[in-house]
Structures are given as structure tokens and as C-alpha cells.
Amino acid sequence: MELGGDVIDARCMNISESTPLINTGRSKRETRAFLRRLHETPEQLCRHIRHTFGAVILDIVYGIKVADTNDFYITVAEEAVAGASIAGNPGTFFVDLIPALKYLPNWFPGSGFKQFAEHYRKVNMMMLHKPFEYVNWCLANGTANASVGADLLQSLPSESDPNRTEEQIIARNVTGIAYAAGADTTGTAMEVFFLAMAMFPEVQKRAQAELDRVVGSDRLPTFDDMRSLH
């Protein structure tokens, strides 16, 4: 795997070289599902984008095949990201300005930030633990799909090894961060792309003309077309 110009051996990450980090079949499937949803409800563009990238990353990281709508894992992750966006905005809560307010009891007027924090702590823990527990359960039952999480769990030391607990926590946190960060950033990048196409229709027309010339009008573009596209 190449990252920032450096080649990283998958074995150094305890990830099997057969783990499908890039899977054209998965990409085709989710692209078609995205286009179908977009055609049916174009006014929900942002939701469709986030669902699509969430589905791809959940599949890569955990081997989870999400529901087409109202998926539990995607709903939890979206709520967690929304909470982080609110809490990460300086000045949202008075406690940001007066840190001593954190010592207020939960029932005291003005301590709503504590209820907010407690709620989203539970949401974040759910996002971190639930998909990882699912992979662990699938491995135990012999039904796990190929994924980063499955590889990390299978590479853990034996039950008798004193380092097992620590390495399992690391594996859980790595997969959780990969999902939370990856789904949010890639989804945002795609939203910006759609915005750019709407703001610069002349660029969109040139791109469409090139796709029509290289791909035609009877199929969708694939990774095989990349060499012929600018």
C-alpha cells in the first residue's frame, strides 16, 4: 500500500495482503445503488453521498453489508460525527469560555452541556464497539467477510498472551477511527465536488463530453477507463 509517497508493507500493519482495501466490485455495486437512490430522491443528495461512503468504508473496515436505508451503523456514525461538529465549534457552550462550569452538578441550570456530553459519549462508544463486536462474533461463527477488522482480530496473540488485551483495544480503536474519519472526509469531498459542478457548469459540460467520447452512453465508467480520461 502506498501512503504519502512511501510504500507500507501490509504485513507491518497486521493486515493480510488479500484484504480487499480496493475492490472494484464493491465500488460498482455502491455506485449503482447511489445513482438509483439519487434518481429516486435527488433532494437528499448529501444523505445519499454519506450513505454510500459509509457503506464502502464499513465493508472495507468491518466486512459489514449495510441496509439500503436507515442502516443502524451508518445512523450511529452520522450522529457521532454531528455531535463532534457541534462540540468542536469553540464557544458553543459556556463551559468553553468558563471551564470551571464543568464542576456544576448535572441538575443545575445551565449545565445542559453535561447532558449533551453524556449522550454523545454513549453514541461514540456505540460507534466504536458495535461494529467491532459484530466482526468478532462473525469470526467466532465462521461467517466473517474479508475486512481490515477481521485481519486485525485474527492476528491477535493467543488468549494466554498478556499483550492480547492491549492489542485488541488498539485494533478496535484503529478500525473505529478509520471508519469515523474516512466516512466523514470522503463524503465531504464528494459534496464539494457536486457543489463545484453546480457552480461551474461549463466544466461539467466538458467532463460530460469527455465521458461521452470515452465511455459512451450505454454504460457507467469504470476504473479501466481511467487511463483514457484526463
Side-chain angles (χ1 to χ4, degrees):
M1 181 173 65
E2 188 170 326
L3 183 64
D6 297 324
V7 176
I8 300 177
D9 192 328
R11 289 169 294 182
C12 296
M13 301 171 64
N14 286 331
I15 298 173
S16 168
E17 293 179 352
S18 63
T19 300
L21 298 181
I22 298 177
N23 184 300
T24 56
R26 177 193 299 118
S27 299
K28 290 179 181 178
R29 181 181 69 247
E30 293 302 334
T31 298
R32 284 173 168 77
F34 166 72
L35 293 174
R36 185 186 69 252
R37 289 191 293 267
L38 185 60
H39 176 72
E40 294 171 352
T41 52
E43 69 279 3
Q44 297 182 17
L45 169 64
C46 291
R47 173 175 292 183
H48 297 326
I49 289 174
R50 294 187 178 278
H51 184 283
T52 298
F53 283 101
V56 170
I57 293 176
L58 272 168
D59 195 359
I60 293 172
V61 177
Y62 299 108
I64 292 175
K65 304 297 188 289
V66 304
D68 203 39
T69 57
N70 300 320
D71 182 79
F72 168 77
Y73 296 105
I74 289 181
T75 300
V76 169
E78 287 182 346
E79 186 176 2
V81 170
S85 298
I86 296 171
N89 188 14
T92 299
F93 303 103
F94 282 126
V95 71
D96 296 333
L97 307 175
I98 310 174
L101 291 177
K102 66 183 179 181
Y103 298 110
L104 290 175
N106 291 350
W107 53 264
F108 199 83
S111 63
F113 65 89
K114 287 197 166 186
Q115 287 78 40
F116 177 93
E118 178 60 22
H119 170 73
Y120 281 101
R121 186 190 70 81
K122 292 177 181 178
V123 173
N124 286 331
M125 290 300 100
M126 195 180 302
M127 181 185 69
L128 181 65
H129 288 274
K130 288 297 183 181
F132 194 73
E133 291 171 356
Y134 174 79
V135 178
N136 215 349
W137 181 85
C138 288
L139 282 172
N141 288 275
T143 59
N145 296 314
S147 69
V148 173
D151 273 359
L152 290 174
L153 281 168
Q154 289 175 314
S155 69
L156 291 176
S158 64
E159 295 283 354
S160 60
D161 193 308
N163 295 320
R164 180 182 173 87
T165 299
E166 180 182 3
E167 293 198 22
Q168 186 167 358
I169 292 173
I170 292 172
R172 183 198 65 200
N173 292 344
V174 165
T175 51
I177 291 172
Y179 173 52
D184 184 53
T185 53
T186 50
T188 300
M190 184 56 68
E191 289 173 9
V192 172
F193 168 77
F194 273 89
L195 176 62
M197 291 297 97
M199 292 178 64
F200 302 98
E202 69 282 0
V203 176
Q204 182 182 162
K205 289 178 181 178
R206 291 203 303 270
Q208 184 65 62
E210 183 177 3
L211 285 170
D212 290 342
R213 176 177 56 81
V214 174
V215 179
S217 58
D218 59 345
R219 66 178 179 87
L220 294 174
T222 68
F223 286 109
D224 295 333
D225 298 311
M226 289 181 64
R227 294 180 181 178
S228 302
L229 296 169
H230 298 294

